[in-house]
Amino acid sequence: MEKEKELSTVEEVRAYTDPYRIEILFNFKRLGRPATCKEIADVMGEVPAKVYYHIKKMEKVGILKLAHTKNINGIIAKYYELTAESFIVKNKYDANEPISSVKVNESIRVLSDIFDKAKNDFIEGIQPDTKKGHNRNCVIEYSEIYMTDDEAKEFHEYVDDFIKKREHTQNGDHRVFFAMIKNRGDKEKSK
């Protein structure tokens, strides 16, 4: 498995930025092993045929791959896995290149979906737990810190390692949403 895979074609970007497919990828990552369409569908509470359709679209562009097959009572089960730990849509904007605007629009759409899910999780999290008779605690932390590219890479690797150590466990009561944005360079830094 590659550490990172860059998505550069319109087909790759569209296959990756679909919210339903991101949920499928999340479940592959959460399982931490090759899985069948049925296993993923069961985790998601979905119909296997629907999940299979989306898995095949992602396999076609190299986001998922067939890891192995297994004969189970005369039925060939296909086990798929991620091709990379993370997928990157790098976009060097060129107004003359149609793919640039597609990448931007698809990236905006997927970010909006991710932020909406995080917002809804937070709103649900601050609702009192009436069954247990107590309130829940949520923390919002928004900070502007400035880092060089090297420091940002080091920080991202630290967060990524922290997540990897905990992502396959169901222990704990906290969920985290994390975002890091590179300044455009045209904004004044406040002191």
Side-chain angles (χ1 to χ4, degrees):
M1 177 186 305
E2 297 176 54
K3 183 158 179 66
E4 294 179 343
K5 180 173 181 147
E6 186 175 326
L7 306 176
S8 57
T9 69
V10 173
E11 189 178 25
E12 289 171 338
V13 172
R14 285 194 172 140
Y16 179 71
T17 57
D18 180 281
Y20 189 77
R21 292 178 187 158
I22 288 174
E23 187 176 349
I24 290 170
L25 295 173
F26 169 77
N27 283 296
F28 270 103
K29 195 170 188 176
R30 195 172 71 171
L31 285 175
R33 61 170 174 77
T36 65
C37 295
K38 182 171 180 351
E39 288 175 310
I40 298 297
D42 288 348
V43 170
M44 294 174 65
E46 289 284 354
V47 178
K50 181 178 179 181
V51 172
Y52 177 78
Y53 169 83
H54 291 281
I55 285 176
K56 292 308 283 182
K57 290 284 188 184
M58 291 186 285
E59 181 187 28
K60 182 179 177 185
V61 298
I63 294 170
L64 290 172
K65 70 178 181 180
L66 181 64
H68 63 274
T69 59
K70 184 177 179 182
N71 188 329
I72 303 172
N73 298 324
I75 297 172
I76 303 298
K78 295 180 178 180
Y79 289 79
Y80 296 90
E81 67 183 355
L82 297 166
T83 58
E85 291 178 23
S86 60
F87 299 90
I88 298 172
V89 178
K90 285 196 176 176
N91 196 31
K92 198 171 191 181
Y93 190 75
D94 178 354
N96 298 320
E97 185 184 354
I99 191 169
S100 291
S101 62
V102 170
K103 284 182 182 178
V104 169
N105 291 334
E106 292 296 319
S107 296
I108 289 169
R109 187 175 57 79
V110 76
L111 283 173
S112 179
D113 291 340
I114 290 168
F115 277 90
D116 285 346
K117 182 178 181 340
K119 178 185 78 174
N120 291 336
D121 286 349
F122 186 85
I123 289 169
E124 179 186 323
I126 62 173
Q127 301 298 319
D129 187 341
T130 55
K131 291 179 183 176
K132 294 183 181 178
H134 60 77
N135 293 327
R136 299 177 183 159
N137 294 323
C138 293
V139 177
I140 298 176
E141 178 72 35
Y142 177 84
S143 299
E144 287 188 16
I145 58 174
Y146 298 94
M147 298 177 270
T148 65
D149 286 342
D150 289 340
E151 291 168 331
K153 182 179 178 184
E154 179 184 347
F155 182 67
H156 181 256
E157 288 172 356
Y158 171 79
V159 170
D160 198 40
D161 287 343
F162 188 88
I163 291 168
K164 283 178 189 170
K165 289 176 185 171
R166 289 154 185 85
E167 70 186 346
H168 299 297
T169 174
Q170 296 293 324
N171 298 335
D173 298 327
H174 296 81
R175 288 181 283 167
V176 174
F177 170 77
F178 172 76
M180 186 166 65
I181 305 154
K182 182 171 182 171
N183 272 345
R184 291 180 173 205
D186 58 349
K187 293 184 180 179
E188 296 257 347
K189 293 180 184 174
S190 59
K191 294 184 181 187

